[in-house]
Amino acid sequence: MEKILTTGLILFLTLCLDVPGTDGRKEEANVENAQKRPSRSSDAKGGRCSYTFIVPQQKLTGALCLNTQSAATNRSEVAELRVELRRQQEQLEKLRGQLEQEGALSVEIRALRKESNSMNSRIAQLYAQLLHEVIQKKDQALEQQRVENLLLNATTQALQVSSNYRELEKKYGALTSMMSSQNQFIARLEKQCQCSATHSTHLSSVVTSEPPKSSSNVHPNYSSEAKEITNDVQRDQSAPPPKQGKAGGVPSLPTTTDNTPTGPPFISFPVTKTPGPWRDCQHVLESGETTSGIYLLHLQSANRLVQAWCEQSQAQGGWTVIQRRQDGSVNFFRNWEQYKQGFGNLDGEYWLGLEHLYWLTKQAQYKLRVALEDWQGRQVFAEYDSFHLELESDWYRLRLGQYHGTAGDSLSWHNNKAFTTLDRDKDGYTGNCAHYQKGGWWYHMCAHSNLNGVWYRGGHYRSRYQDGVYWAEFHGGSYSLKRVSMMVKPR
């Protein structure tokens, strides 16, 4: 039986077809009847047909049934399928469009990434360059700091040398004053002596015996301490000697420092009727001296000697000049100690000194006169009926009285203000007014007058700050005056 199955297997496949109009029952044909029937048979009544397939060399068991009835075509489903197909095509087109857009965006993103990479490389290059410049500037700052330290050390040494030089000038001035007083005393004795031999012998005995005694008579307030106290205001070596007045002058005393170019020359004093020294220039005028020039003053309240220029030709004379500007030959941008002791040339530009000015105005009630002249030759003045300074402990604070004059009042704004220099900031401004105004003054916030500023030629000047020699009520702060002088006199 197995051999027969292996050689050929006859399968009976019964196809059951559902014929419309029947009761839908399916009858199963008998295998035996199927073998008796021909290979294809059909029953009209039952609507059944049967096929016999011979599948060689197949090991199959059971029967295979296939419904060969053609299904009726459904138009609505076909329409729905077409609609669905169209919708899917539209979606496909949309997706294709989106894909194209995303492709363009992708290309743009690639370009942006490439540009970003180039920018990053450029930034890295700039950062490296900036770092190199910062390191270079740091090295330059260190070098500048080193140079500044060297300059500071040199400035300190220069100040020390200047201080030593000032001490020598003080001693030199004391000797000059003493020798000048002795010269004047000898000249007075020579006028009183006779020309005979007997009188000459008598004069020589008087000269050898009298000077110590007469010195104490002429200078009752002169002491050994006063010999060592004087100001360092001297005439500049390069300046010509002062012109002698009508009364003539005593020639300069011989000196042993002719070969020393740094030593100041002796001051030639006018011939006077009395040897002096005097309290102030008003005392000089009252003594009968009407010639303007350099006189030796003895400040009695401090028992010190000081040289000053006496102005006897302006406003009835008797004025002690405490400050003068006329040609820009002296630098007034000084420190506190220099403004305290005084500086400059007695027959030119000079500053008498705050300490000397304090003791001078302490002797009596003084008034102040400020004389101004512009570059067109116009002369004006400002007077204040009282003037004095406070102690150094109060920074030489200015005390002024009422104003009258033709120049306008540009100093009352500075009344009751402390004196300020580059190294002593006592003004009311957040910065240092002396730094901006290039001088020392009784600054407020900062100045309506700046007579110790920079002397500019020609009047109107250009500067970053108002640092000229100006009087605000007379031509304003941007006009540097030609001549300026400050003078005091007892009321």
Side-chain angles (χ1 to χ4, degrees):
M1 190 67 170
E2 293 178 356
K3 293 179 180 181
I4 296 173
L5 290 175
T6 56
T7 56
L9 178 61
I10 300 173
L11 299 178
F12 297 95
L13 178 62
T14 303
L15 298 176
C16 298
L17 300 174
D18 294 332
V19 180
T22 61
D23 55 355
R25 292 178 303 174
K26 296 179 181 180
E27 296 180 358
E28 184 179 347
N30 194 352
V31 177
E32 296 178 357
N33 293 331
Q35 292 177 352
K36 296 179 180 181
R37 293 175 184 173
S39 62
R40 181 181 179 181
S41 62
S42 63
D43 190 355
K45 294 181 179 180
R48 297 181 299 175
C49 63
S50 61
Y51 295 88
T52 301
F53 296 93
I54 299 174
V55 181
Q57 297 180 356
Q58 294 290 335
K59 294 182 179 181
L60 298 177
T61 59
L64 298 177
C65 296
L66 176 64
N67 189 3
T68 60
Q69 184 179 1
S70 60
T73 304
N74 194 338
R75 294 182 179 179
S76 62
E77 291 180 357
V78 172
E80 290 178 359
L81 289 174
R82 288 178 179 176
V83 171
E84 181 68 18
L85 180 61
R86 191 178 298 110
R87 186 178 63 81
Q88 290 180 359
Q89 289 178 353
E90 291 177 355
Q91 290 181 357
L92 184 61
E93 292 296 331
K94 289 180 181 180
L95 291 175
R96 188 180 290 109
Q98 291 179 359
L99 182 61
E100 292 178 355
Q101 292 179 359
E102 290 178 356
L105 289 175
S106 177
V107 173
E108 187 175 357
I109 288 173
R110 291 194 194 95
L112 289 175
R113 285 181 178 176
K114 185 177 181 180
E115 185 178 358
S116 176
N117 292 332
S118 63
M119 289 295 294
N120 288 336
S121 61
R122 178 60 178 167
I123 289 173
Q125 183 180 359
L126 291 176
Y127 178 77
Q129 183 178 358
L130 179 62
L131 184 61
H132 177 70
E133 291 180 357
V134 167
I135 294 174
Q136 186 177 4
K137 288 183 177 180
K138 185 176 180 180
D139 295 338
Q140 292 178 356
L142 293 175
E143 182 66 19
Q144 183 179 2
Q145 184 178 2
R146 187 181 67 83
V147 174
E148 288 178 353
N149 291 333
L150 294 176
L151 180 60
L152 182 61
N153 294 334
T155 304
T156 304
Q157 294 177 2
L159 290 176
Q160 184 65 30
V161 172
S162 177
S163 178
N164 296 337
Y165 178 71
R166 190 178 298 111
E167 293 296 331
L168 293 176
E169 281 186 339
K170 290 180 180 180
K171 296 178 181 179
Y172 181 75
L175 292 174
T176 303
S177 301
M178 183 178 64
M179 294 180 67
S180 176
S181 299
Q182 292 178 355
N183 243 6
Q184 293 175 7
F185 177 71
I186 293 173
R188 184 173 63 87
L189 291 179
E190 286 178 350
K191 290 180 181 180
Q192 297 175 357
C193 71
Q194 300 295 332
C195 296
S196 62
T198 57
H199 290 88
S200 298
T201 306
H202 177 68
L203 176 61
S204 62
S205 63
V206 171
V207 169
T208 56
S209 60
E210 287 295 325
K213 182 178 179 181
S214 61
S215 176
S216 61
N217 293 332
V218 175
H219 312 297
N221 295 323
Y222 187 77
S223 64
S224 59
E225 294 179 358
K227 293 181 181 179
E228 299 179 358
I229 304 175
T230 183
N231 66 333
D232 61 348
V233 182
Q234 298 291 342
R235 182 165 58 84
D236 191 6
Q237 282 187 332
S238 61
K243 295 182 180 179
Q244 300 176 357
K246 294 180 180 179
V250 177
S252 299
L253 296 175
T255 175
T256 58
T257 59
D258 292 339
N259 296 328
T260 306
T262 58
F266 287 102
I267 304 299
S268 59
F269 296 91
V271 174
T272 58
K273 298 177 182 179
T274 58
W278 297 267
R279 293 189 307 272
D280 51 31
C281 292
Q282 177 65 23
H283 188 200
V284 174
L285 183 63
E286 292 172 353
S287 300
E289 310 299 336
T290 59
T291 304
S292 298
I294 302 170
Y295 290 85
L296 183 65
L297 306 182
H298 180 217
L299 307 182
Q300 298 178 358
S301 54
N303 196 20
R304 65 172 62 197
L305 297 174
V306 59
Q307 299 168 0
W309 182 277
C310 290
E311 183 58 52
Q312 310 292 18
S313 61
Q314 295 185 19
Q316 293 81 42
W319 295 99
T320 304
V321 178
I322 63 175
Q323 186 262 16
R324 182 165 53 200
R325 308 295 300 278
Q326 61 185 18
D327 54 13
S329 59
V330 175
N331 181 15
F332 274 66
F333 196 23
R334 305 293 186 101
N335 58 24
W336 178 269
E337 187 64 24
Q338 290 172 319
Y339 267 100
K340 175 183 175 181
Q341 300 297 336
F343 56 86
N345 305 319
L346 284 171
D347 55 352
E349 294 190 340
Y350 80 97
W351 174 260
L352 182 63
L354 293 169
E355 187 68 15
H356 305 309
L357 187 54
Y358 165 75
W359 291 110
L360 175 65
T361 56
K362 193 176 178 61
Q363 297 181 133
Q365 296 289 331
Y366 281 81
K367 60 182 179 180
L368 173 68
R369 180 183 178 90
V370 181
L372 310 172
E373 181 181 348
D374 62 12
W375 289 87
Q376 288 72 37
R378 181 185 173 189
Q379 297 180 359
V380 294
F381 72 94
E383 282 193 10
Y384 298 86
D385 59 6
S386 66
F387 170 81
H388 72 277
L389 303 182
E390 299 294 343
L391 286 167
E392 183 182 10
S393 59
D394 197 15
W395 312 110
Y396 298 112
R397 194 172 301 275
L398 176 65
R399 304 297 187 189
L400 280 180
Q402 296 296 322
Y403 157 83
H404 74 276
T406 59
D409 186 9
S410 292
L411 192 58
S412 293
W413 195 65
H414 300 267
N415 191 20
N416 301 321
K417 299 301 179 291
F419 199 85
T420 292
T421 59
L422 185 63
D423 55 340
R424 300 284 179 91
D425 184 7
K426 301 301 174 183
D427 55 55
Y429 185 60
T430 54
N432 189 340
C433 292
H435 169 73
Y436 301 110
Q437 307 283 277
K438 301 296 185 296
W441 198 246
W442 296 277
Y443 292 115
H444 183 15
M445 296 181 62
C446 279
H448 283 182
S449 57
N450 188 40
L451 302 187
N452 290 338
V454 181
W455 190 86
Y456 289 104
R457 185 180 299 276
H460 292 285
Y461 64 95
R462 292 182 179 180
S463 178
R464 184 177 181 182
Y465 308 105
Q466 288 187 348
D467 53 4
V469 180
Y470 68 84
W471 190 268
E473 295 294 329
F474 184 52
H475 291 299
S478 60
Y479 187 96
S480 186
L481 299 171
K482 182 178 181 180
R483 296 180 185 272
V484 170
S485 63
M486 297 175 65
M487 305 172 285
V488 295
K489 178 180 179 180
R491 297 172 58 180

